[in-house]
């Protein structure tokens, strides 16, 4: 039994849009402790995209970020 050749592709591979390759591995995020950020203070000011934020610790030891 003779097999048929596969049908010709109407769009050659060279004319097809190429897939954008994204890196599969990214660097892990930098890990900081709250002690590193607060440096012994109850709150610190942080600027981000021109806005001023305040990161503070609560009595229960939680963190709050406010604008």
């Amino acid at each position: 039994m003779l097999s048929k050749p596969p049908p010709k592709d109407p769009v050659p591979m060279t004319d097809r849009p190429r897939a954008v390759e994204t890196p599969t591995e990214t660097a892990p995020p930098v890990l900081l402790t709250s002690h590193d950020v607060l440096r012994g203070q109850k709150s610190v000011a942080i600027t981000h995209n021109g806005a001023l934020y305040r990161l503070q610790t609560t009595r229960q030891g939680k963190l709050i970020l406010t604008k």
Side-chain angles (χ1 to χ4, degrees), residues 10-66:
V11 180
M13 288 296 287
T14 55
D15 294 342
R16 291 183 181 180
R18 295 177 188 215
V20 177
E21 293 184 26
T22 56
T24 56
E25 296 182 31
T26 58
V30 175
L31 179 62
L32 299 172
T33 66
S34 59
H35 184 265
D36 292 337
V37 176
L38 294 169
R39 297 181 182 178
Q41 304 295 313
K42 295 280 185 189
S43 68
V44 293
I46 300 171
T47 59
H48 177 70
N49 290 337
L52 182 63
Y53 293 82
R54 187 170 105 171
L55 180 67
Q56 61 187 359
T57 183
T58 66
R59 290 183 210 150
Q60 293 81 24
K62 297 180 181 182
L63 293 174
I64 299 176
L65 182 65
T66 54

